[in-house]
Amino acid sequence: MVDLRLLHHFIVIADMGRVSAASRQLHVSQPTLSQQLRQLERQIRSPLFVRGPRGMELTDAGKAFLEPARLALRAADDAIEAARSASSTFVGELRVGILHNGVAELTAPIIRTFRAAYPNIDLMVTPVLLTELETGLLDQRVDVALQYLPICSPQLHADPLYDEPRVLLMSDHHRFSGASGVTSADFLASPTVQTSSRIPAHWSNFWSFAELRAGAPLDHRREFDNVHAAIMFISVSDDVSIPVPVSISRFASFSGLRYVPVTDASACTAAVVSRAVDRRPATRAFRRVAIDTANRLRFLVEQATAPDAGTTQP
């Protein structure tokens, strides 16, 4: 019988494309990981990878093995969660804040998995505004939040779930709407929206490419503290754009929008965020469920990759 740990390590290598990257993600040494891969290949009696110019590439056997391996791990995780659910003694209340679409296609699986595993906890889900990115947690209006980084307060802790590209959101009348890609300089030379002064400055700076504009001011057309309202404004504007996670393209409900890749922008990171001092079992359980679900189902989020090992905050 194949060790489930070997299946998990095989999947991470396949997803990341390099043993070195998988080693960092799994906190396992490269020699140990390579040895485990050889052990799995001996059990299967077929090579699963070949080394190519882009790293570790799946063989035909590896491609055939990958999805059944995911399903096997998922079944094992479901069995564990069912057992936890049957024996769970956690009681109480947990308030989950969701910023816009939360963590894309992982939001619903995280909520469902937690509710199934801990039926005695009253899980309440509430929308979070941009102005409540950190204050909602610090003021204890919510206990955990599914949102995008960065955060700044040392009183908060973030567990990254995945990285994804940033794109420019614009109307189909924008001059760049037909482009296959733009640069951050294109964005900085165009009008955008103003985020409310009540939104944390480090968050606004990241999403307006502050590290690339060297203090140069932006051409602001309107101030918003609500993602939905900003998207609605942009949908009827001819020259305004904003950087957003690429997954928003699957959740924004307005017609006439375009999403153009920003070729020189770093990725953004989705995370589960909580108060650093909150050690309650329910909070720790939700964080664990979010991380486990992301590791199992990250492939549901198109273009998502495993989070960079250095993005845990603070």
Side-chain angles (χ1 to χ4, degrees):
M1 181 178 294
V2 176
D3 187 334
L4 290 176
R5 181 181 56 177
L6 298 183
L7 291 185
H8 176 53
H9 290 182
F10 160 73
I11 291 169
V12 174
I13 295 172
D15 287 344
M16 305 202 73
R18 297 186 183 276
V19 173
S20 57
S23 172
R24 291 191 296 271
Q25 172 73 12
L26 295 166
H27 304 289
V28 176
S29 69
Q30 289 189 49
T32 299
L33 198 56
S34 296
Q35 182 181 8
Q36 291 174 341
L37 179 57
R38 288 193 295 270
Q39 179 184 344
L40 181 61
E41 289 177 328
R42 283 195 300 270
Q43 292 183 0
I44 294 173
R45 300 179 183 177
S46 178
L48 298 171
F49 293 96
V50 293
R51 292 188 180 275
R54 294 177 295 179
M56 300 290 284
E57 299 180 2
L58 289 167
T59 62
D60 288 342
K63 293 175 183 177
F65 186 62
L66 181 57
E67 189 56 29
R70 292 192 197 275
L71 293 174
L73 273 189
R74 203 173 307 158
D77 287 340
D78 289 344
I80 292 170
E81 291 299 335
R84 286 176 177 169
S85 177
S87 62
S88 175
T89 58
F90 291 173
V91 295
E93 174 183 283
L94 191 71
R95 297 160 298 175
V96 181
I98 305 289
L99 175 63
H100 192 55
N101 59 306
V103 290
E105 285 85 357
L106 293 184
T107 303
I110 289 171
I111 299 299
R112 285 198 299 266
T113 300
F114 184 85
R115 280 178 168 156
Y118 303 100
N120 295 325
I121 295 179
D122 183 12
L123 188 70
M124 296 183 294
V125 178
T126 184
V128 173
L129 296 176
L130 290 173
T131 52
E132 301 172 309
L133 279 167
E134 296 189 7
T135 59
L137 284 161
L138 296 174
D139 296 344
Q140 301 189 28
R141 294 193 296 274
V142 296
D143 302 305
V144 291
L146 296 173
Q147 63 177 74
Y148 284 85
L149 300 180
I151 59 171
C152 185
S153 172
Q155 299 177 60
L156 299 177
H157 174 83
D159 293 295
L161 302 179
Y162 62 84
D163 291 345
E164 68 171 312
R166 284 184 283 177
V167 297
L168 280 191
L169 165 63
M170 61 189 71
S171 78
D172 55 9
H173 286 78
H174 195 284
R175 63 191 176 103
F176 292 134
S177 63
S180 59
V182 294
T183 66
S184 56
D186 293 326
F187 164 72
L188 298 175
S190 304
T192 187
V193 300
Q194 169 80 44
T195 53
S196 168
S197 59
R198 294 179 295 154
I199 295 171
H202 54 274
W203 199 90
S204 296
N205 287 339
F206 174 79
W207 287 98
S208 62
F209 303 123
E211 75 279 9
L212 300 174
R213 56 186 165 91
L218 293 171
D219 180 5
H220 291 125
R221 292 295 172 89
R222 192 83 165 265
E223 179 176 307
F224 290 98
D225 60 8
N226 181 294
V227 175
H228 185 82
I231 293 175
M232 182 169 63
F233 172 75
I234 288 171
S235 71
V236 294
S237 301
D238 291 345
D239 57 352
V240 179
S241 65
I242 56 170
V244 295
V246 67
S247 58
I248 279 188
S249 64
R250 302 188 295 275
F251 294 88
S253 58
F254 300 104
S255 61
L257 294 175
R258 294 291 182 270
Y259 302 86
V260 181
V262 185
T263 57
D264 60 346
S266 60
C268 58
T269 302
V272 54
V273 185
S274 60
R275 292 182 292 277
V277 297
D278 189 349
R279 304 300 183 195
R280 292 178 302 154
T283 303
R284 294 201 304 267
F286 188 88
R287 288 172 52 195
R288 183 174 61 248
V289 166
I291 294 168
D292 290 347
T293 302
N295 288 338
R296 288 189 297 115
L297 302 178
R298 189 177 294 120
F299 64 92
L300 293 176
V301 184
E302 186 177 346
Q303 299 188 55
T305 58
D308 185 285
T311 54
T312 301
Q313 299 186 29

